C-alpha cells in the first residue's frame, strides 16, 4: 500500500490495506496473549532470586509504571487508530528523525521477542529432547544444534500463519489465550491449595522478606522478566488500525490487559514463593541463590516436587503454547512496525507492500531473517530479557511526550478517550520509562545504545541512497530532545550502580538524576515541537489513509 502522496498509478497489491477484522475481545486478547508468554514461566523464579518475597512489590510497581505509559498510548490510539502507532505517533508531532529513531528502537526490540519466546519454549522442552545446554559460567540455557533447527521451523510457522492475514491470527490467538489463562489459573490455585507455606515469605533463615533490599526490588523490575512480561500491552495500540471500533476497543485492550495480567502475576508470585519446598531453600541458603532440580522449567519442577505431576505435564505443554502464541503476536507486530516505518518513508517502500489478504509480506520476510540472526549472539532466554526490556520501554517513552505536545498543538482535536490530570500522567510515564531503562544496568544498556548508533548509520545510508526522495528529517523538532535524552540516559546508566556501572550514583540519587533528565527532556520536547500547520498536514495524511482503508474494506467504526 503506497503512501498518500504516491497513491496514484500503483498496483492493486500495493494498495491493499490492512484488514480491520479484530473485535473488542480479540484486541484485548492480543494484549493478554502477548503479556502471558514466556515471562510467566520464568519470571517468578528470576524475581525471587533477585528480590526474594519482596518481588511481589516488583510485579505491582512494574504494573503501575507500565499502566502510566499505557494510558498515554490509549488516548493517542483512539485519536489516531492506525497500525504501527508507536512508530507513527512521533512522526505526527516531531517529524521524521524522531519517528525513525523510535521506529528503529521499537523494531529491533519487537523483532527479538519472537526468538526469545521460541528459546523459552525450547528451554522447557529440554525435558523431552536435547534442545538446550546449561552453562555454569552465566547460568543460562543455550540452544543446541537441534534446538536451533527447531527454532527455525517455529519462526517459519509464525510467518506462514501471519501470511494468511489478521483474521486467522485473531481466531487462533483467542483460543490460545483461553488456554493460557486456564493454565496459569490452575498453577495459582494448585500451589495455594496444595503446598502454600506462609513461613517462606518472611523467614529470617532464608534472608527475610527483602534479602535483596530496595535495590533488589527495582533491579528485578527490569532484569527478571517482569517488565518484559507486561510489554505486550502495546498490541492494543499497534493493531488499532485493524480493529472495528478503535475508540472503544483500544482503551479497553490497553488498560484491561495490564490490570488483568498484573493481578494474575502478583498472585502467581505469591503462590510460587509459598510453594518452594523447605529443603530447596535450605540447600540454596535462601532466596538469592535459589536452585533446584530441573529448574530449566521452574514452575513444572516445583509442581513435581510438591506431588502435582499432572500439573507439571500441563506446564510442559503450556511452555510450548504460551511462548508460541506470544511469538506469533510479535511476528505480526514487528512486520507492522516496519510497514509503518515504510509508510512514514523512513524505510524502503517495499516494506509497505501488502498481499490481497492484507499481510505485509516483505516485512514478514525481513522479520523472519532478523529472528534467525538474533539466535546467534543471543542463544538464551536470560541474555535477551534485559535488552528487550530496555529497548521497548525506551521506545514507549516517546508516547507521553507526543501526548503532552499534541494537547498543545491541537487542543481542539476530538479525544474519544482522555486521561485526566493534565501533564501529570505523561510526565510520570516518561519518568517510569527512564527508571526502568536505568535499572537494567550498564552491561545491558551499552548494547542498546550501540544498537541505536547502528540505526543512525543505517539512517545516513538511507538518506544518501534515496537522496531527493527521502523525507525531511525535522532535525530541530526531533534531534533537539531525542539526542539529549539518549545521551543523558547513557551517562546516568554508566555512572549508576546497577550491573556494571561505575557506582558513582547510588540508589536514591538514581531517582533524582532520572527525575532531572525527565524534566529536561519534557521541557525540550514542548519547546521544539513541529508547528501546528505541519502537524495538521501529518494528521490529515493519517486520516486520509484510514478513510481509504475503510472505503476499500467497507469497515465501520
Amino acid at each position: 500500500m503506497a503512501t498518500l502522496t504516491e497513491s496514484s498509478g500503483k498496483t492493486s497489491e500495493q494498495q491493499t490495506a490492512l484488514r480491520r477484522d479484530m473485535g473488542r475481545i480479540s484486541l484485548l486478547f492480543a494484549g493478554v496473549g502477548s503479556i502471558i508468554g514466556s515471562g510467566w514461566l520464568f519470571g517468578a523464579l528470576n524475581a525471587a532470586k533477585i528480590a526474594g518475597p519482596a518481588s511481589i512489590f516488583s510485579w505491582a510497581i512494574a504494573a503501575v509504571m507500565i499502566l502510566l505509559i499505557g494510558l498515554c498510548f490509549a488516548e493517542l490510539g483512539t485519536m489516531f487508530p492506525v497500525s504501527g502507532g508507536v512508530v507513527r505517533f512521533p512522526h505526527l508531532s516531531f517529524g521524521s528523525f524522531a519517528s525513525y529513531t523510535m521506529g528503529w528502537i521499537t523494531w529491533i526490540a519487537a523483532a527479538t521477542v519472537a526468538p526469545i519466546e521460541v528459546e523459552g519454549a525450547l528451554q522447557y522442552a529440554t525435558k523431552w529432547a536435547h534442545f538446550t545446554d546449561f552453562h555454569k559460567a552465566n547460568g543460562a540455557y543455550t540452544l543446541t544444534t537441534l534446538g536451533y533447527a527447531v527454532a527455525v521451523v517455529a519462526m517459519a510457522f509464525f510467518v506462514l500463519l501471519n501470511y494468511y492475514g489478521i483474521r486467522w491470527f485473531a481466531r487462533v490467538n483467542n483460543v490460545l489465550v483461553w488456554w493460557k489463562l486456564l493454565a496459569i489459573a490452575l498453577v495459582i490455585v494448585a500451589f495455594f491449595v496444595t503446598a502454600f507455606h506462609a513461613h517462606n515469605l518472611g523467614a529470617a533463615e532464608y534472608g527475610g522478606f527483602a534479602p535483596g533490599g530496595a535495590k533488589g526490588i527495582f533491579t528485578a523490575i527490569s532484569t527478571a522478566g517482569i517488565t518484559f512480561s507486561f510489554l505486550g500491552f502495546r498490541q492494543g495500540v499497534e493493531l488499532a488500525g485493524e480493529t472495528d471500533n478503535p475508540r472503544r476497543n483500544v482503551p479497553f485492550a490497553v488498560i484491561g490487559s495490564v490490570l488483568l495480567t498484573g493481578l494474575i502475576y502478583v498472585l502467581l508470585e505469591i503462590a510460587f514463593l509459598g510453594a518452594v519446598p523447605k529443603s530447596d531453600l535450605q540447600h540454596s541458603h535462601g532466596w538469592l541463590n535459589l536452585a533446584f532440580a530441573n529448574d530449566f522449567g521452574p514452575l513444572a519442577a516445583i509442581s513435581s516436587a510438591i506431588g502435582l505431576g499432572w500439573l507439571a505435564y500441563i506446564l510442559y505443554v503450556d511452555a510450548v503454547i504460551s511462548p508460541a502464541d506470544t511469538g506469533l503476536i510479535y511476528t505480526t507486530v514487528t512486520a507492522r512496525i516496519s510497514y509503518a516505518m515504510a509508510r512514514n518513508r523512513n524505510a524502503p517502500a517495499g516494506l509497505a507492500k501488502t498481499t490481497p489478504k492484507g499481510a505485509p509480506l516483505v516485512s514478514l520476510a525481513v522479520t523472519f531473517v532478523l529472528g534467525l540472526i538474533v539466535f546467534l549472539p543471543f542463544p538464551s532466554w536470560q541474555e535477551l530479557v534485559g535488552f528487550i526490556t530496555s529497548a521497548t520501554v525506551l521506545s514507549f517513552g516517546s508516547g507521553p511526550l507526543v501526548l503532552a505536545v499534541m494537547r498543545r498543538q491541537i487542543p481542539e482535536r476530538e479525544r474519544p478517550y482522555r486521561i485526566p490530570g493534565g501533564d501529570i500522567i505523561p510526565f510520570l510515564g516518561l519518568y517510569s520509562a527512564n527508571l526502568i531503562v536505568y535499572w537494567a544496568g550498564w552491561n545491558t544498556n551499552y548494547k542498546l545504545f550501540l544498537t541505536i548508533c547502528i540505526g543512525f548509520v543505517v539512517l545516513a545510508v538511507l538518506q544518501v541512497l534515496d537522496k531527493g526522495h527521502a523525507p525531511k528529517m525535522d532535525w530541530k523538532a526531533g534531534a533537539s530532545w531525542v539526542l539529549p535524552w539518549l545521551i543523558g540516559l547513557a551517562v546516568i546508566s554508566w555512572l549508576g550502580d546497577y550491573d556494571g556501572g561505575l557506582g558513582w550514583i547510588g540508589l536514591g540519587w538514581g531517582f533524582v538524576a532520572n527525575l532531572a533528565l525527565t524534566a529536561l527532556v519534557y521541557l525540550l520536547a514542548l519547546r521544539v515541537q513541529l508547528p501546528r500547520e505541519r502537524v495538521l498536514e501529518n494528521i490529515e495524511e493519517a486520516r486520509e489513509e484510514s478513510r481509504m482503508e475503510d472505503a476499500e474494506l467497507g469497515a465501520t467504526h
Side-chain angles (χ1 to χ4, degrees):
M1 181 174 175
T3 59
L4 294 173
T5 56
E6 301 171 333
S7 60
S8 60
K10 298 296 182 182
T11 65
S12 59
E13 180 183 50
Q14 288 173 304
Q15 293 181 345
T16 301
L18 295 168
R19 297 293 298 269
R20 296 187 186 276
D21 288 329
M22 300 191 76
R24 188 179 191 182
I25 299 301
S26 292
L27 198 63
L28 171 67
F29 274 21
V32 173
S34 183
I35 291 173
I36 304 178
S38 61
W40 86 274
L41 296 167
F42 301 102
L45 171 61
N46 291 343
K49 290 170 67 174
I50 297 173
S55 55
I56 298 168
F57 291 136
S58 300
W59 286 101
I61 293 170
V64 172
M65 296 176 82
I66 290 297
L67 188 58
L68 288 170
I69 299 171
L71 286 170
C72 297
F73 281 103
E75 180 170 328
L76 291 171
T78 54
M79 291 173 65
F80 309 106
V82 293
S83 293
V86 174
V87 177
R88 285 166 140 175
F89 297 152
H91 181 77
L92 299 180
S93 285
F94 297 109
S96 290
F97 179 79
S99 66
Y100 171 84
T101 304
M102 294 303 106
W104 173 262
I105 298 171
T106 304
W107 183 69
I108 290 295
T112 50
V113 172
I116 197 178
E117 297 299 333
V118 171
E119 289 173 351
L122 291 176
Q123 183 172 322
Y124 258 78
T126 297
K127 181 176 177 63
W128 298 322
H130 188 210
F131 293 127
T132 62
D133 281 328
F134 180 72
H135 296 271
K136 291 184 178 180
N138 57 8
Y141 287 87
T142 59
L143 294 177
T144 61
T145 301
L146 174 62
Y148 188 85
V150 175
V152 172
V153 174
M155 292 292 294
F157 171 74
F158 295 158
V159 171
L160 182 64
L161 190 57
N162 273 277
Y163 174 77
Y164 286 99
I166 199 69
R167 178 178 295 174
W168 286 101
F169 157 73
R171 291 174 180 173
V172 171
N173 184 64
N174 285 356
V175 174
L176 294 181
V177 171
W178 279 117
W179 160 268
K180 293 199 290 187
L181 288 173
L182 175 62
I184 198 170
L186 277 175
V187 172
I188 293 171
V189 173
F191 281 12
F192 270 117
V193 172
T194 305
F196 185 78
H197 307 290
H199 178 74
N200 288 359
L201 274 65
E205 63 267 30
Y206 304 146
F209 180 74
K215 184 177 179 180
I217 295 173
F218 299 129
T219 301
I221 290 174
S222 296
T223 63
I226 292 178
T227 300
F228 168 76
S229 297
F230 284 116
L231 297 179
F233 85 86
R234 67 188 294 165
Q235 314 315 343
V237 178
E238 297 289 7
L239 302 175
E242 299 169 60
T243 184
D244 56 357
N245 191 335
R247 67 173 58 196
R248 178 195 67 182
N249 297 347
V250 172
F252 178 78
V254 171
I255 300 171
S257 62
V258 175
L259 292 179
L260 175 61
T261 56
L263 175 62
I264 289 173
Y265 278 133
V266 168
L267 291 175
L268 177 65
E269 186 70 35
I270 296 172
F272 171 82
L273 292 166
V276 175
K278 175 181 179 181
S279 58
D280 288 323
L281 280 167
Q282 291 176 336
H283 183 265
S284 303
H285 305 289
W287 290 108
L288 300 186
N289 297 301
L290 181 60
F292 42 83
N294 297 325
D295 59 4
F296 55 78
L299 295 181
I302 294 295
S303 298
S304 297
I306 62 178
L308 299 176
W310 60 272
L311 181 60
Y313 280 105
I314 289 177
L315 281 166
Y316 282 121
V317 172
D318 182 73
V320 175
I321 294 177
S322 286
D325 180 48
T326 303
L328 171 63
I329 294 170
Y330 269 93
T331 301
T332 303
V333 169
T334 304
R336 279 151 180 79
I337 291 172
S338 53
Y339 168 92
M341 291 182 70
R343 295 304 303 269
N344 287 340
R345 294 186 295 158
N346 284 327
L351 293 172
K353 293 182 179 180
T354 57
T355 69
K357 295 181 180 293
L361 182 58
V362 178
S363 290
L364 284 170
V366 172
T367 299
F368 172 71
V369 172
L370 180 62
L372 301 188
I373 294 174
V374 166
F375 286 129
L376 298 176
F378 297 108
S380 75
W381 194 90
Q382 293 89 334
E383 290 173 333
L384 261 177
V385 165
F387 178 85
I388 293 174
T389 298
S390 285
T392 308
V393 171
L394 185 60
S395 69
F396 287 164
S398 64
L401 291 173
V402 172
L403 179 59
V405 167
M406 279 195 170
R407 285 180 170 179
R408 292 160 171 83
Q409 291 169 323
I410 47 171
E412 78 289 349
R413 176 85 180 186
E414 180 187 2
R415 289 165 169 79
Y417 172 79
R418 185 184 182 98
I419 57 175
D423 285 309
I424 295 176
I425 291 180
F427 184 87
L428 291 177
L430 178 61
Y431 186 42
S432 296
N434 289 343
L435 285 173
I436 291 171
V437 173
Y438 172 66
W439 292 333
W442 177 244
N443 284 336
T444 293
N445 289 334
Y446 87 83
K447 300 171 188 175
L448 170 61
F449 292 116
L450 283 177
T451 303
I452 294 172
C453 290
I454 293 173
F456 289 145
V457 173
V458 172
L459 174 62
V461 172
L462 290 174
Q463 289 287 304
V464 171
L465 294 180
D466 199 23
K467 191 173 183 179
H469 298 89
K472 183 181 178 181
M473 279 289 98
D474 300 303
W475 296 106
K476 180 181 178 181
S480 296
W481 63 269
V482 170
L483 294 182
W485 183 31
L486 298 178
I487 294 171
L489 272 177
V491 171
I492 293 174
S493 180
W494 179 50
L495 297 177
D497 61 347
Y498 286 84
D499 191 23
L502 295 179
W504 294 2
I505 298 177
L507 177 66
W509 285 109
F511 284 96
V512 175
N514 280 283
L515 182 64
L517 178 64
T518 301
L520 173 64
V521 173
Y522 202 90
L523 292 174
L524 283 174
L526 293 179
R527 188 177 182 86
V528 301
Q529 58 189 268
L530 284 177
R532 173 182 168 85
E533 295 72 22
R534 283 287 308 283
V535 176
L536 292 176
E537 291 175 8
N538 292 339
I539 291 173
E540 183 56 35
E541 287 186 4
R543 184 164 56 183
E544 178 62 22
E545 175 183 309
S546 180
R547 187 184 303 124
M548 290 169 61
E549 291 179 356
D550 284 346
E552 291 171 2
L553 298 173
T556 59
H557 292 248

